Amino acid sequence: MRALFAALMLLALPVLAHDMVPGKAQSQAILIKGATLHSVAGGDQPNTDLLFEKGVIKAIGQNLGAPAGTEVVDGTGKHLYAGLIGLSTLLGIQEIEAVRSTNDVEEVGSFTPEVAAETAFNADSELIPTVRSNGIALVEVAPQGGLVAGRSAVMRMDGWNRRDMLVRADTAMHLYWPEVGDEAAREKLETFFANAEAYRQRRIDSEDQTIDASLEAMTGVMEKRIPLFIHADGSAAIHQVLRFGDRFGLKWTLVGGRGAERYANELARRGVAVAVTNPQGLPSSDDAPYDEAYALAGILDKAGVKVAIALPSSWSSRDLPFAVGQAQAWGLDPKKGLASVTLVPAELLGIAKQYGDLTVGRSATLMVTDHPLFDYAGVSVKALYIDGAAVDLDNRQKRLYRKYLQKGQ
């Protein structure tokens, strides 16, 4: 039976590769006219034109002229947004959670900082077209497992292979905080960081220092060149993380953040951003407010914490617009809501000069929608451009929908 099952799985695996053709590099200027443009820097701008060429935004304003050969797109009644950025996802490294052969999310061992997530990225993942059809243009692919799991990378949601799709490697090192009662694991973690700093100093002092691949990979973190993303939930765990960050003087971001409202002022004072990963969850305890998860982003923002909203896993980031809309309904400022899935993730990942907002000089990574994006019940993404290339928004779910519409006709 095991042999038969294995054979069947091998036959089934080819269906996990999508057959979408990647968009071609932009060959002519494109002018979108008369849309409502939504920008973090410039706010909402009705009846606005946007011109982009060779993958870069060239002009924004009203009544822009179209250079010869420009493709003109009527944006009347439409809305323009920067492409969304999914933080801390497993997209491309996990296809079906229950099928081990389609999972490449973690390495063996508690400390594997040398792991680079992009090396395992599957550019043909069937999930990619589904995620990007909701306007997600870029994702951070992050490893899991152990305590220090490795380094993440930012990937475009279109391309022939992982090299085409790689935007930036080494965007963050990912640390998964141990359970509060696991003192042995916490001590190992602190010892590892102390050893990493000692190794860094020895490398500075002597060229003869033997190279240790694991500790060498930590050098960028200890020198604050590579941000540290610490995954932790619960007020007790966050209290420990604050002390840990202070001890080693790290540049870090809190990922998860449930219970962070208790330490909002402490996080703001330290300049620690929070990627809220459970914005639609149930209350954490019987006596917690029913809207605990929905209100968290707004509470942190009001305290002065830089907030991103993330939906980890292999494809939950497709629901980012829904999560932001809910957070806005529970008190998150609309401008900050847009930033939480565009500019703030771009800043945290070190790509904000190119991505994250609609401004002249940034990448033409943007979408056109028929309604305001965070009004999730009625919105549809009509066009998506990544670095100026038009992306095919079809996917397997849409094809199946069209197929079964014909049943019984």
Side-chain angles (χ1 to χ4, degrees), residues 80-104:
L80 275 175
Y81 295 87
L84 305 189
I85 302 173
L87 277 174
S88 196
T89 78
L90 299 177
L91 190 61
I93 58 176
Q94 181 185 79
E95 196 77 9
I96 302 174
E97 186 176 358
V99 180
R100 189 175 185 277
S101 60
T102 70
N103 284 264
D104 202 359

Side-chain angles (χ1 to χ4, degrees), residues 150-162:
R151 295 161 290 162
S152 56
V154 178
M155 312 298 290
R156 297 178 184 85
M157 287 293 91
D158 194 38
W160 288 101
N161 53 55
R162 62 181 175 85

Side-chain angles (χ1 to χ4, degrees), residues 269-354:
R269 182 168 60 83
R270 289 170 171 83
V272 174
V274 178
V276 176
T277 62
N278 197 26
Q280 302 166 311
L282 296 172
S284 59
S285 63
D286 290 342
D287 58 352
Y290 77 94
D291 60 352
E292 176 186 41
Y294 308 139
L296 177 58
I299 292 171
L300 293 174
D301 174 59
K302 287 181 174 64
V305 177
K306 184 180 289 188
V307 176
I309 292 178
L311 293 173
S313 85
S314 54
W315 66 338
S316 59
S317 54
R318 63 185 175 162
D319 289 329
L320 279 174
F322 184 26
V324 173
Q326 280 193 309
Q328 290 177 350
W330 262 265
L332 180 63
D333 177 83
K335 189 174 179 180
K336 297 295 184 64
L338 174 60
S340 73
V341 288
T342 54
L343 187 58
V344 172
E347 291 172 344
L348 296 178
L349 298 169
I351 57 172
K353 289 183 179 180
Q354 297 82 31

Side-chain angles (χ1 to χ4, degrees), residues 32-302:
I32 302 174
K33 293 190 66 69
T36 298
L37 185 145
H38 302 269
S39 167
V40 176
D44 297 340
Q45 304 169 47
N47 193 27
T48 297
D49 305 342
L50 184 146
L51 174 70
F52 59 99
E53 186 176 9
K54 296 181 179 178
V56 177
I57 298 173
K58 297 296 185 179
I60 294 173
Q62 294 185 338
N63 301 316
L64 294 180
T70 298
E71 177 187 348
V72 178
V73 177
D74 184 7
T76 305
K78 303 295 194 298
H79 297 259
L80 275 175
Y81 295 87
L84 305 189
I85 302 173
L87 277 174
S88 196
T89 78
L90 299 177
L91 190 61
I93 58 176
Q94 181 185 79
E95 196 77 9
I96 302 174
E97 186 176 358
V99 180
R100 189 175 185 277
S101 60
T102 70
N103 284 264
D104 202 359
V105 302
E106 63 183 87
E107 189 55 271
V108 176
S110 297
F111 299 99
T112 56
E114 67 278 12
V115 165
E118 70 274 12
T119 61
F121 185 79
N122 173 21
D124 291 323
S125 169
E126 187 71 72
L127 306 182
I128 289 173
T130 299
V131 170
R132 72 188 182 202
S133 67
N134 278 9
I136 289 76
L138 308 173
V139 296
E140 178 204 17
V141 181
Q144 291 185 350
L147 296 172
V148 178
R151 295 161 290 162
S152 56
V154 178
M155 312 298 290
R156 297 178 184 85
M157 287 293 91
D158 194 38
W160 288 101
N161 53 55
R162 62 181 175 85
R163 294 177 183 84
D164 286 348
M165 299 170 76
L166 179 65
V167 174
R168 183 174 179 178
D170 295 346
T171 51
M173 185 73 73
H174 287 259
L175 185 161
Y176 292 83
W177 197 254
E179 293 184 9
V180 171
D182 192 346
E183 291 301 313
R186 190 157 65 91
E187 288 178 7
K188 287 180 180 178
L189 192 57
E190 296 195 356
T191 298
F192 180 74
F193 272 77
N195 289 342
E197 177 58 20
Y199 173 85
R200 186 186 74 86
Q201 290 293 340
R202 291 197 301 272
R203 287 275 281 141
I204 293 172
D205 296 339
S206 173
E207 295 180 357
D208 298 329
Q209 170 64 40
T210 302
I211 301 297
D212 181 303
S214 181
L215 296 178
E216 186 72 21
M218 290 294 295
T219 301
V221 176
M222 307 314 294
E223 294 178 348
K224 300 182 183 179
R225 291 183 287 105
I226 298 177
L228 183 66
F229 279 21
I230 304 180
H231 299 247
D233 283 299
S235 57
I238 293 170
H239 176 69
Q240 291 182 347
V241 170
L242 286 167
R243 293 168 57 191
F244 177 81
D246 289 346
R247 175 183 172 184
F248 291 101
L250 301 167
K251 176 185 177 182
W252 62 283
T253 293
L254 178 62
V255 181
R258 175 170 282 191
E261 65 275 9
R262 182 173 177 180
Y263 293 99
N265 292 330
E266 294 287 322
L267 292 163
R269 182 168 60 83
R270 289 170 171 83
V272 174
V274 178
V276 176
T277 62
N278 197 26
Q280 302 166 311
L282 296 172
S284 59
S285 63
D286 290 342
D287 58 352
Y290 77 94
D291 60 352
E292 176 186 41
Y294 308 139
L296 177 58
I299 292 171
L300 293 174
D301 174 59
K302 287 181 174 64

